[in-house]
Amino acid sequence: MNTTLLLNQFVTGFFIATILTAGPAGSFSNEPTSATAESIVELLQKRQFVLSQLVKLQTEAYRNGETGLETIIQASQQLLLVELELATSHEERIKLLERSIKLASELEKLAEAKHKSGNGSAADILSSQSDRLKVEIRLVRERQKKKQG
């Protein structure tokens, strides 16, 4: 069984387990207790770790020609969202977004190199450019929020 198939089965199983254990909609109050807030942070940190591992695996699989670029972009976007949710200040969010832009640029260069060698597609280049631009837009917005107070 190849790595991509196993990884996809793991991710699918993870999401199904999350949905099944989430409980009925509206079962949480609008104001989390401190115990609930702590468990949310712990869960977010665990998800951050899982997604960081997924990004590493997907990147290696892409380099080896075992998966498409979209899988990396999707996992990277999910990871960034979790990290932004964990961030407590504009400065932290700005640093995360700047780091994410650097990683997106590296991914874009990888896609270009694969395309030049005949192992990648022009669509991968465009997809990686779109992802980088999406993060750049979010960075500009975060900087604007910081200036506004």
Side-chain angles (χ1 to χ4, degrees):
M1 202 174 271
N2 75 31
T3 307
T4 305
L5 181 58
L6 286 173
L7 193 54
N8 287 339
Q9 288 175 343
F10 168 76
V11 172
T12 302
F14 176 77
F15 287 120
I16 290 171
T18 302
I19 291 168
L20 293 175
T21 59
S27 63
F28 297 107
S29 67
N30 288 339
E31 296 295 320
T33 64
S34 63
T36 304
E38 287 175 18
S39 66
I40 289 171
V41 169
E42 289 172 9
L43 290 170
L44 284 167
Q45 289 170 337
K46 288 178 183 178
R47 185 161 190 250
Q48 178 185 19
F49 176 77
V50 168
L51 286 168
S52 69
Q53 297 303 305
L54 179 60
V55 169
K56 288 177 187 174
L57 287 172
Q58 293 288 31
T59 302
E60 190 59 32
Y62 178 68
R63 283 191 175 124
N64 295 331
E66 299 170 355
T67 190
L69 184 69
E70 279 303 314
T71 58
I72 305 170
I73 291 173
Q74 194 173 33
S76 297
Q77 289 174 349
Q78 289 178 32
L79 176 59
L80 177 60
L81 290 175
V82 169
E83 290 173 334
L84 290 171
E85 194 169 347
L86 286 167
T88 58
S89 68
H90 289 293
E91 290 80 13
E92 282 182 78
R93 285 186 288 278
I94 288 170
K95 286 179 184 176
L96 285 167
L97 290 164
E98 289 171 341
R99 188 191 80 210
S100 185
I101 289 169
K102 286 179 187 174
L103 294 173
S105 295
E106 290 172 16
L107 195 57
E108 189 176 335
K109 288 176 187 173
L110 177 62
E112 289 170 354
K114 284 190 73 142
H115 179 65
K116 285 179 184 175
S117 71
N119 295 320
S121 69
D124 282 351
I125 296 170
L126 294 172
S127 185
S128 62
Q129 288 173 343
S130 174
D131 180 53
R132 177 185 45 80
L133 290 167
K134 180 179 179 179
V135 179
E136 286 180 6
I137 291 165
R138 190 153 188 177
L139 175 61
V140 170
R141 287 181 176 153
E142 191 63 37
R143 286 179 174 155
Q144 288 173 344
K145 286 180 189 177
K146 182 181 177 187
K147 284 182 183 178
Q148 293 172 355

